[in-house]
């Protein structure tokens, strides 16, 4: 084993599911910046300006594009934090890229070619990172088509210039398995990494119970499985971690049952960093399987 292995900082995406109000966003962002200071992570603060795929017509969606970007930009200006947020339609990509450092495509939209192309074009123009969540309806090898769409746009804009290549990530958030249940295929990280991307484990949405809330009007979740699944993901080769957190999960307006307690984030991240380093120290004994 390589005892003196030095790893690059781990990519960490964390924050509330949705922008509930500016005060809460600032509270969470400030606390996360404090907790994560000094840790070997590349931290991106995440909050959505719109949750467009809520279970119920009455579900809270957020402040919308214009007000949401204003709030997120103030987080960047006041705290100096790089940002992640979701893009839902092609026409949003350009405006979002002006403010947001890491453009994210939600899982339900990962096969929408026009959206992928618009996000990739905005990333090329504004030099942004891209995170695409693999839909819960896709096998990991199907993600190859997503990568090829992004690379085609990249080639069109940059003509093979490796220095201008889009920093592309794929996120695993589980696959649908029966009613109100998701299951994470741990082989997914190894499979998707072969497409030349970094892989992220979504510790929040992989423990969801879609439509499993009271009366089927909201998403339920099993927070008690979050820690063990995250450890397993890094043992399986995940490069980064996505996690939503909240100071009062029981009062959260979206994904409360799956949100991690804000006060414990730094302790949890330190544990994951240890698992990540340990996993990287063991040499691989078997050859890679053919795709």
């Amino acid at each position: 084993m390589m005892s003196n292995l030095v790893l690059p900082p781990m990519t960490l995406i964390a924050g509330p599911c949705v922008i509930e109000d500016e005060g809460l966003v600032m509270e969470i962002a400030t606390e996360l910046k404090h907790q994560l200071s000094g840790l070997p992570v590349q931290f991106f603060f995440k909050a959505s300006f719109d949750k467009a795929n809520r279970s119920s017509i009455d579900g809270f969606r957020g402040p919308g594009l214009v007000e949401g970007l204003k709030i997120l930009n103030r987080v960047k200006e006041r705290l100096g934090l790089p940002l992640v947020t979701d893009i839902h339609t092609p026409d949003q990509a350009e405006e979002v890229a002006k403010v947001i450092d890491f453009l994210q495509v939600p899982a339900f939209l990962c096969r929408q070619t026009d959206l992928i192309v618009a996000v990739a074009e905005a990333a090329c123009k504004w030099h942004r990172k891209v995170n695409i969540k693999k839909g819960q309806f896709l096998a990991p090898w199907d993600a190859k088509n997503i990568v090829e769409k992004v690379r085609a746009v990249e080639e069109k804009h940059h003509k093979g210039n490796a220095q201008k290549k889009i920093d592309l990530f794929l996120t695993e958030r589980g696959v649908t398995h029966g009613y109100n249940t998701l299951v994470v295929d741990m082989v997914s990280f190894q499979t998707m990494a072969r497409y030349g991307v970094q892989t992220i484990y979504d510790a929040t949405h992989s423990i969801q119970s879609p439509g499993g809330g009271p009366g089927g009007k909201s998403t339920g979740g099993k927070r008690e499985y979050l820690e063990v699944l995250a450890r397993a993901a890094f043992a399986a080769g995940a490069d980064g971690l996505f996690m939503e957190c909240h100071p009062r999960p029981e009062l959260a307006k979206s994904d409360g049952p799956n949100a991690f307690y804000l006060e414990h984030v730094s302790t949890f991240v330190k544990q994951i960093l240890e698992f990540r380093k340990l996993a990287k120290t063991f040499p691989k004994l078997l050859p890679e399987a053919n795709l």
Side-chain angles (χ1 to χ4, degrees), residues 38-202:
L39 295 183
V41 298
Q42 186 177 20
F43 168 49
F44 294 86
F45 179 76
K46 180 267 173 186
S48 297
F49 56 79
D50 181 19
K51 299 302 292 183
N53 60 338
R54 299 308 307 272
S55 299
S56 169
I57 189 68
D58 299 318
F60 179 79
R61 291 185 54 168
L65 176 67
V66 175
E67 183 60 26
L69 289 179
K70 288 179 181 178
I71 292 172
L72 289 172
N73 193 47
R74 286 193 281 269
V75 171
K76 177 184 283 190
E77 291 177 342
R78 295 177 189 176
L79 300 176
L81 293 176
L83 306 169
V84 176
T85 200
D86 296 312
I87 298 175
H88 299 94
T89 58
D91 60 286
Q92 293 177 344
E94 176 77 8
E95 287 304 306
V96 171
K98 293 176 183 179
V99 176
I100 304 299
D101 307 273
F102 207 156
L103 312 179
Q104 182 165 278
V105 176
F108 278 117
L109 300 175
C110 71
R111 292 188 63 182
Q112 300 301 307
T113 300
D114 287 348
L115 178 59
I116 299 298
V117 168
V119 167
E121 288 179 341
C124 287
K125 179 177 179 179
W126 295 91
H127 309 292
R128 303 308 195 189
K129 298 177 184 292
V130 173
N131 181 35
I132 301 177
K133 291 191 170 186
K134 179 181 71 63
Q136 51 268 58
F137 44 83
L138 289 181
W141 46 86
D142 292 325
K144 181 179 180 181
N145 295 319
I146 300 172
V147 175
E148 289 178 348
K149 291 175 184 179
V150 174
R151 297 306 182 204
V153 174
E154 179 184 86
E155 177 64 25
K156 174 184 174 183
H157 280 262
H158 298 316
K159 308 299 182 185
N161 187 337
Q163 293 182 336
K164 294 185 177 181
K165 193 172 183 178
I166 295 173
D167 200 356
L168 178 60
F169 295 70
L170 291 177
T171 290
E172 174 61 63
R173 51 80 47 83
V175 293
T176 304
H177 186 80
Y179 297 152
N180 307 125
T181 306
L182 293 167
V183 173
V184 179
D185 177 3
M186 292 298 169
V187 175
S188 178
F189 302 104
Q190 184 175 334
T191 301
M192 295 194 300
R194 295 177 193 150
Y195 304 134
V197 301
Q198 295 187 63
T199 60
I200 294 178
Y201 172 59
D202 184 340

Side-chain angles (χ1 to χ4, degrees), residues 190-247:
Q190 184 175 334
T191 301
M192 295 194 300
R194 295 177 193 150
Y195 304 134
V197 301
Q198 295 187 63
T199 60
I200 294 178
Y201 172 59
D202 184 340
T204 297
H205 296 93
S206 61
I207 57 170
Q208 277 185 330
S209 298
K217 292 288 188 178
S218 63
T219 293
K222 299 175 181 177
R223 188 185 294 112
E224 62 270 24
Y225 297 143
L226 188 151
E227 294 173 87
V228 67
L229 284 174
R231 293 170 189 149
F234 280 87
D239 298 303
L241 176 67
F242 176 107
M243 60 185 299
E244 291 175 345
C245 51
H246 198 286

